[in-house]
Amino acid sequence: MKAHLLHPSEDVDWGTPVAPDGSLEADVLQDLHLGDLCAAMASGDPLIDDVARRILLGSAADRRVVQYRQAVLSDCIAHADLARELYAIATDAVASEKQVWSFLRTSPSGSLHRSVEVLEIFVTVLRRLRATVDAHADEVRSEGLVRLFDQVRDELDDTFFDAVHDHLDRLRFRDGVLLGAALGPGNRGWRYVLRTPDTRRRGWRARVGLGPRSSLGFEVPPRDEAGQQAVGALRDRGIALVADALSRSTQHILDFFTMLRAELAFYVGCVQLREVLVERGQPICMPELAPSRTVQCSARGLYDVCLAVRTSAQVVGNTVHGDGASLIMVTGANSGGKSTFLRSLGVAQLMAECGMFVGAEAFTSSAARRVFTHFIREEDEELASGRLEEELARMSRIADAVQPGSLVLVNEAFMSTNEAEGSEIGRQVVRAFVEAGVRVVFVTHLYDLASGLAGDPHVHALFLRADPDHPGRRAFELAPGAPLSTSFGPQLFDRLGAWGAAPAHVPASGAPEGGL
Amino acid sequence: MEESSFETILFPSHGAGGAGDGDGVGHDRDPAQPGYFRDLHLDRIAATATASRPDGQLGVHFSRRLHDADHITYRQEVFADLDRPAVRRAVQRFCDAMGEVRADRDRARDRRFPQEQQRWLLDAAVRYCAAVRELSDGLGSAGATARGFRALARFLERLLASAAYLELEADAARVAAALAAVRYRVHLRGLHVTVSSDDDGVDYSAAVLATFERFAQAPTDARAEERDASTQMDHVEARIVELVARLPGQASDALQALREFCVDHRDFVDPTVERFDREVQFYLAYLELVAPLRAIGLPFCTPEVGAGISDVHACEAFDLALATKLVPEGTEVVRNGFSLAGAERIIVVSGPNQGGKTTFARMVGQLHHLAAIGCPVPGTQARLRIVDQLFTHFQHEDALAHDRGTLEDDVVRMQEILAAATSQSLVITNEPFAATTLEDARFLGRTTIERMTEIGLWCVYVTFVDELSSLNHATVSMVSTVVPENPTARTFQVVRRPADGRAFAVAIAEKYGLTYPQLRRRLSA
């Protein structure tokens, strides 16, 4: 019996650490500000935050799985209360198990006692789960939820609840402990099995088989303390067998609820994120994930969800017609929304790949399986040569990991050397990536790099330009346009009053851009 | 002509012995180890190899050099056979089983209740019989070719055909099978204990598990009960077994047969088998020591050895003690070689400090010692002399404690060595006469090497006095080297010529594999 709401047949890997420090995923998490997205989904629930990170950054789902999740998500959005109630049931089960005192857990009878108590709690929660499923069975449409509901109704039937009741009764051992054994190493008893303690009213002799079977016995004298301990130890051996079985059983039930809780956490997180975005008047849509062998990337009203949940202002969306373009090159003015655009694209891609809705009016993109980010690091105020090496080392790690179809988002790379050299390195990297089937979105101030690629017949590129002073266009809105030879840096420099004054206006992302 | 008897896996029959006399210098802390052991870090190698083997006799075989080429070859053959997985597996399994036999016999002696003691003795006999038979079969089917293993195989064949062995094997198997079939029930109710025979019934724990298996999120693995042999039977258990022995039928018969077995078979281990188990540990210990090194590609080879050869060399060798430390840390082990031909006798090693000079000198000494105890040596290929004596002359921290000055002590130790050494001796000396002026060091070094040349001995001479390297026809110059572009970086290569400064002109992107052609290759892989 498995929840399997995130994948039709496989378990999600809950064990491997997500985005450990120094990993490429950690860079993505940091560069795309995914923490804000997860926080909005979690709305204070640390488990949801954790699960959201895992699903966003964990191993990629294929398109079939994405559709499977989209269906479950649609059910959860349509019946938000049901999703929350199921999540509450699983959460209660896990929480109440933790409250049962694990004192004396090491002694078999202590362990048995605890397991019985936990089992009694679980029986109550399982009955509640069964009742909820019965009440809402007609509402769910998705393959994932329909199957879960069917399983609950099949497995948690009256026969099951009767059997549990029977076990709870037998486990009191009113007639002593009856063991079967063989002679093991050193002629000591081993391969103990617990024989059925029959609680039906039968003669004691018949129950322990003293009829036709011959038997021999002795009694440990009350003054023989060591002997009493030895009998106690043997008795514990018998109880340990069933205590172990029972504790594994309660662990199974706990595992089931833990899994159910984690899988539902993702959907409850999606429901909560949707509520935040709807409240702010931001559009959302179910994306279309095209096969990874195609090169598609088109969007209408694409905005950065992370920025939208962080700010109270309306966030500007962009329109992109990038189908067929393996490379999207973004140039133009500082504070023109270039980084925000880059993030919006990365966040939407990740959300789409894990079965979520995205922040756009429409969004179609080829499945990338993996997204990589290479953003300029503001904290690196070292010598230029050290910075360049650090940048190259990061790019090299990305090169180790990319596959055809991967999406690589580059923000102001190779600026820590002179323009000619930085451009040359950038050109070689971009060309090699694109020719290997990797999709690259590159934000740069390196005119030499951008114009060089514009003239490269081997690279199918879309050029976008930030042009904040363009009449008839909203601030931070990008438009197709070839790179311009002059940077907007000097203007900005003048506008901000050289090194003196604080910036009068920054994009809502709040992240300063490189190039100054 | 095959030898007719088998005594030991360490020496050809009637060939035990082979101590190296008069080795080393004055620091004989451990009489079991030659004086040079510590300087060459051979003490570390021996300690690591024998660490997990409590047999105190093992160390002797690591320290005692053989002087007869035939004895060395006898061991080299055994090592070569043990490199074949089938032979190695057969021997390893045998030794593991014999360890269990020893432990079982200890329990048969030490445990409190007769029922327990008897069963451990039976266990020991069952394991022993299986171990001997498996070893015999294993050596046969693996086709061991070493003289030592062939003699052992013939010995085992005779042993397995003996009446005493066959009776032991049959009795042990019969009694063990009878005991394994015994089943009984224990009913505990308060302090009443009742024992009866057991027929198959319901396993209640399994019934509980079955009820809840539907919630399992991952398949549960079957849990095998492995009885902890370290704890002992208590008197209630002993009483229960006594009662089981009185249950009519199978149970009483089986336990009666066990008592009789123990009367008939007390000491069943053959002394030659026992000795083989003990002595083959020498080989296994060394192979285990070098296994992690070989696993990462460090080469070992069987050296060609001889007393009279004059052209000696080793290729891609390394300091074994250092390698056993570096490999677990993931640090690269630098390999070095040397070659002496014709009249060449003395390798003078100079060059920058911390460049691997001492390690190189130590390596040469180690190679000669390891070859002389019959072991495979580091390197892809080696040809080495059997030396009559091996001396080291290293700077010791505790040399300062002598009342003679350090320099005087140096000179005295060198005098002792030069007085004892012959043309068959090897001397490894590390920065002698360093505690003096350059002028003195030149003079002492020159006269030392001249005397060495007269004696005709073999030497590795580490020094900061460059000119000693071209003193005469016997000397060969080798230098530690640095990375040409970065004089602070050592390569730990010691080469016969000075390094030729290769220009460092690799672009920074190239260093990270990010040029277009590099990336194309990486991404298409």
Side-chain angles (χ1 to χ4, degrees):
Chain A
M1 190 165 152
K2 293 194 176 196
H4 274 174
L5 296 177
L6 289 168
H7 193 287
S9 55
E10 286 168 26
D11 292 347
V12 175
D13 172 12
W14 300 106
T16 318
V18 173
D21 284 352
S23 66
L24 293 168
E25 287 76 18
D27 286 352
V28 174
L29 182 72
Q30 178 187 342
D31 293 338
L32 298 185
H33 302 160
L34 291 176
D36 295 327
L37 170 63
C38 297
M41 289 174 74
S43 181
D45 183 332
L47 178 75
I48 297 180
D49 193 294
D50 201 59
V51 167
R53 278 164 203 255
R54 181 170 295 275
I55 303 300
L56 281 162
L57 293 167
S59 56
D62 63 32
R63 291 170 65 227
R64 184 177 54 98
V65 176
V66 168
Q67 286 163 8
Y68 181 87
R69 289 183 189 170
Q70 287 178 346
V72 174
L73 179 56
S74 298
D75 265 349
C76 290
I77 288 173
H79 307 283
D81 289 345
L82 172 60
R84 286 196 163 99
E85 168 62 8
L86 289 171
Y87 182 66
I89 289 173
T91 304
D92 287 353
V94 175
S96 53
E97 191 271 347
K98 285 200 169 48
Q99 282 171 6
V100 178
W101 217 20
S102 52
F103 179 63
L104 281 183
R105 209 168 177 172
T106 47
S107 93
S109 41
S111 158
L112 181 67
H113 185 80
R114 181 182 188 277
S115 295
V116 167
E117 200 174 328
V118 170
L119 187 56
E120 279 164 351
I121 291 169
F122 280 164
V123 169
T124 313
V125 185
L126 287 168
R127 285 190 193 280
R128 185 173 148 206
L129 175 63
R130 172 72 208 252
T132 303
V133 162
D134 282 345
H136 297 274
D138 296 340
E139 297 167 11
V140 296
R141 297 281 175 273
S142 63
E143 186 190 343
L145 279 170
V146 166
R147 200 175 40 175
L148 173 66
F149 279 28
D150 286 350
Q151 280 188 69
V152 168
R153 298 215 281 185
D154 288 349
E155 302 281 0
L156 303 185
D157 56 2
D158 292 345
T159 319
F160 168 77
F161 286 110
D162 288 348
V164 175
H165 181 78
D166 194 39
H167 286 311
L168 288 171
D169 185 49
R170 281 173 194 268
L171 290 167
R172 290 181 220 168
F173 294 108
R174 280 190 296 255
D175 293 308
V177 173
L178 181 62
L179 295 165
L183 290 173
N187 266 349
R188 300 181 69 188
W190 80 334
R191 307 218 162 121
Y192 285 106
V193 288
L194 194 63
R195 294 304 187 201
T196 317
D198 197 336
T199 52
R200 277 169 295 168
R201 293 289 113 199
R202 274 206 289 149
W204 178 84
R205 291 186 165 275
R207 281 205 306 282
V208 296
L210 295 196
R213 230 190 299 244
S214 58
S215 71
L216 302 156
F218 63 95
E219 182 162 357
V220 176
R223 64 184 178 283
D224 177 6
E225 278 183 32
Q228 289 183 34
Q229 275 177 14
V231 171
L234 204 52
R235 186 187 143 83
D236 272 354
R237 259 192 108 80
I239 290 180
L241 292 169
V242 74
D244 177 59
L246 200 64
S247 103
R248 280 200 277 164
S249 297
T250 53
Q251 185 63 44
H252 285 337
I253 302 177
L254 179 63
D255 288 348
F256 166 75
F257 278 125
T258 306
M259 201 80 92
L260 181 64
R261 181 179 66 146
E263 305 214 343
L264 285 166
F266 172 72
Y267 294 105
V268 170
C270 292
V271 167
Q272 290 176 161
L273 173 65
R274 179 182 170 274
E275 287 166 359
V276 171
L277 293 173
V278 167
E279 186 192 325
R280 300 191 178 183
Q282 296 285 3
I284 57 169
C285 70
M286 276 295 181
E288 191 182 322
L289 207 56
S292 57
R293 61 178 183 279
T294 65
V295 180
Q296 294 192 50
C297 182
S298 50
R300 197 175 67 244
L302 174 67
Y303 63 93
D304 180 2
V305 172
C306 299
L307 176 57
V309 297
R310 197 166 57 231
T311 177
S312 50
Q314 187 79 10
V315 177
V316 175
N318 273 296
T319 294
V320 188
H321 299 289
D323 289 357
S326 314
L327 171 67
I328 298 177
M329 206 77 198
V330 187
T331 61
N334 287 316
S335 302
K338 299 194 300 291
S339 296
T340 301
F341 167 73
L342 194 61
R343 287 196 184 95
S344 71
L345 199 58
V347 171
Q349 185 76 31
L350 283 172
M351 289 173 77
E353 301 252 3
C354 69
M356 293 176 75
F357 49 78
V358 300
E361 287 153 29
F363 183 73
T364 305
S365 182
S366 303
R369 310 279 295 177
R370 283 191 77 176
V371 174
F372 301 92
T373 55
H374 188 285
F375 278 41
I376 192 165
R377 286 287 148 84
E378 305 299 332
E379 65 267 32
D380 296 330
E381 295 298 334
E382 295 168 33
L383 291 170
S385 69
R387 278 181 67 179
L388 182 62
E389 289 216 38
E390 187 275 333
E391 279 190 73
L392 290 166
R394 271 195 286 145
M395 191 61 85
S396 181
R397 289 173 57 215
I398 291 173
D400 282 336
V402 286
Q403 298 283 331
S406 295
L407 180 62
V408 179
L409 307 175
V410 188
N411 196 10
E412 307 276 24
F414 314 130
M415 301 276 290
S416 42
T417 180
N418 63 60
E419 181 166 356
E421 280 185 7
S423 298
E424 183 55 36
I425 296 172
R427 228 179 343 260
Q428 297 204 20
V429 169
V430 168
R431 243 190 95 185
F433 272 4
V434 167
E435 287 183 16
V438 175
R439 289 159 62 201
V440 180
V441 184
F442 206 124
V443 168
T444 189
H445 277 95
L446 296 169
Y447 173 72
D448 190 40
L449 168 64
S451 63
L453 287 164
D456 187 337
H458 302 292
V459 178
H460 298 284
L462 169 68
F463 287 85
L464 298 177
R465 207 171 65 214
D467 200 353
D469 301 329
H470 193 283
R473 209 179 285 162
R474 289 174 296 173
F476 316 130
E477 192 176 354
L478 305 182
L484 297 176
S485 65
T486 45
S487 170
F488 291 77
Q491 303 168 13
L492 186 60
F493 191 85
D494 289 343
R495 180 152 59 81
L496 298 182
W499 297 120
H505 176 70
V506 291
S509 76
E513 294 192 335
L516 235 185
Chain B
M1 183 67 198
E2 299 277 19
E3 291 139 18
S4 58
S5 66
F6 174 80
E7 289 169 29
T8 161
I9 195 70
L10 290 171
F11 301 98
S13 276
H14 312 297
D21 301 320
D23 278 338
V25 289
H27 301 277
D28 271 336
R29 279 184 179 70
D30 181 355
Q33 293 189 346
Y36 59 80
F37 231 52
R38 209 167 134 239
D39 288 340
L40 297 183
H41 290 172
L42 285 161
D43 57 339
R44 301 181 190 184
I45 295 173
T48 311
T50 57
S52 61
R53 288 175 166 78
D55 180 5
Q57 296 300 305
L58 204 52
V60 174
H61 305 305
F62 277 102
S63 52
R64 199 171 287 167
R65 294 201 321 278
L66 307 177
H67 293 275
D68 183 334
D70 182 56
H71 290 195
I72 292 173
T73 317
Y74 183 84
R75 289 189 186 175
Q76 288 180 344
E77 290 168 9
V78 173
F79 269 118
D81 263 356
L82 285 171
D83 253 350
R84 298 158 60 187
V87 178
R88 178 69 184 279
R89 199 160 47 235
V91 171
Q92 189 64 58
R93 284 175 63 111
F94 168 77
C95 293
D96 293 348
M98 286 300 285
E100 298 289 336
V101 170
R102 274 194 300 280
D104 283 354
R105 290 172 82 199
D106 290 348
R107 290 182 202 114
R109 188 186 60 228
D110 300 338
R111 291 291 156 94
R112 181 173 155 201
F113 298 101
Q115 300 95 322
E116 200 181 3
Q117 296 171 350
Q118 291 160 3
R119 185 66 185 267
W120 284 121
L121 191 72
L122 173 68
D123 242 52
V126 169
R127 283 185 205 269
Y128 170 74
C129 291
V132 173
R133 191 168 285 285
E134 270 189 46
L135 177 61
S136 177
D137 291 351
L139 289 177
S141 64
T145 57
R147 279 173 285 164
F149 281 130
R150 287 208 315 266
L152 171 66
R154 284 192 300 280
F155 168 82
L156 292 175
E157 274 169 37
R158 287 196 299 278
L159 178 69
L160 290 174
S162 68
Y165 173 84
L166 290 171
E167 190 193 333
L168 173 73
E169 192 177 47
D171 286 355
R174 179 174 48 79
V175 178
L179 286 166
V182 174
R183 294 274 185 287
Y184 62 97
R185 281 188 176 197
V186 182
H187 185 241
L188 307 166
R189 196 180 158 88
L191 295 176
H192 292 278
V193 180
T194 316
V195 177
S196 59
S197 51
D198 188 37
D199 40 32
D200 282 337
V202 176
D203 178 348
Y204 183 61
S205 320
V208 170
L209 268 182
T211 307
F212 299 101
E213 198 64 37
R214 68 196 74 190
F215 295 102
Q217 299 298 297
T220 19
D221 34 339
R223 305 187 347 163
E225 182 186 16
E226 205 37 68
R227 186 59 193 254
D228 174 16
S230 65
T231 62
Q232 310 209 15
M233 194 180 254
D234 60 51
H235 69 285
V236 168
E237 286 178 274
R239 190 78 193 279
I240 289 171
V241 179
E242 272 172 37
L243 295 182
V244 171
R246 284 165 50 199
L247 289 173
Q250 214 176 24
S252 65
D253 293 349
L255 287 158
Q256 174 61 26
L258 177 61
R259 279 192 294 277
E260 287 162 7
F261 176 87
C262 294
V263 174
D264 296 345
H265 305 284
R266 262 293 27 129
D267 286 311
F268 47 77
V269 179
D270 180 272
T272 303
V273 170
E274 202 160 30
R275 181 174 178 187
F276 168 74
D277 169 42
R278 201 171 58 238
E279 293 184 336
V280 79
Q281 300 302 324
F282 166 73
Y283 299 95
L284 298 179
Y286 187 73
L287 289 173
E288 276 170 35
L289 175 81
V290 305
L293 279 50
R294 286 169 132 180
I296 61 153
L298 288 174
F300 283 82
C301 66
T302 303
E304 188 186 334
V305 291
I309 59 180
S310 57
D311 293 1
V312 299
H313 67 260
C315 307
E316 298 198 45
F318 49 89
D319 176 342
L320 180 55
L322 184 62
T324 52
K325 180 174 164 289
L326 294 184
V327 166
E329 294 168 359
T331 310
E332 198 198 342
V333 176
V334 175
R335 302 181 216 168
N336 280 302
F338 67 91
S339 168
L340 291 174
E344 294 165 353
R345 292 288 182 277
I346 300 166
I347 299 173
V348 178
V349 186
S350 57
N353 286 327
Q354 308 299 321
K357 288 180 297 188
T358 307
T359 298
F360 174 84
R362 220 172 246 142
M363 173 191 88
V364 175
Q366 285 176 8
L367 291 176
H368 282 84
H369 177 86
L370 293 172
I373 60 171
C375 288
V377 300
T380 52
Q381 204 202 11
R383 183 174 147 92
L384 301 164
R385 283 177 70 84
I386 299 177
V387 298
D388 65 347
Q389 299 170 94
L390 179 47
F391 299 97
T392 52
H393 185 285
F394 276 47
Q395 295 299 329
H396 289 286
E397 283 169 34
D398 56 358
L400 299 169
H402 284 244
D403 19 280
R404 294 173 287 194
T406 306
L407 178 63
E408 190 182 339
D409 178 58
D410 265 12
V411 173
V412 169
R413 283 196 291 145
M414 189 61 83
Q415 282 173 338
E416 287 166 2
I417 291 171
L418 294 179
T422 73
S423 64
Q424 309 299 313
S425 304
L426 174 64
V427 180
I428 309 288
T429 173
N430 189 30
E431 306 268 16
F433 322 125
T436 182
T437 62
L438 180 61
E439 197 55 42
D440 281 349
R442 269 193 193 125
F443 169 73
L444 291 168
R446 197 182 73 234
T447 51
T448 299
I449 289 180
E450 279 168 353
R451 176 70 191 126
M452 286 176 164
T453 308
E454 278 170 31
I455 297 170
L457 57 73
W458 303 73
C459 179
V460 179
Y461 194 110
V462 176
T463 182
F464 58 93
V465 185
D466 293 358
E467 62 236 55
L468 295 179
S469 64
S470 53
L471 195 68
N472 60 30
H473 62 279
T475 56
V476 165
S477 168
M478 295 187 76
V479 293
S480 56
T481 55
V482 295
V483 180
E485 314 71 54
N486 180 2
T488 59
R490 267 66 174 163
T491 65
F492 301 109
Q493 292 285 349
V494 177
V495 298
R496 194 157 167 162
R497 289 187 306 276
D500 45 354
R502 190 182 67 91
F504 180 86
V506 183
I508 197 158
E510 198 171 12
K511 175 173 161 191
Y512 289 93
L514 290 174
T515 64
Y516 174 76
Q518 284 175 318
L519 264 181
R520 286 293 290 164
R521 266 199 309 281
R522 290 171 72 181
L523 296 174
S524 64

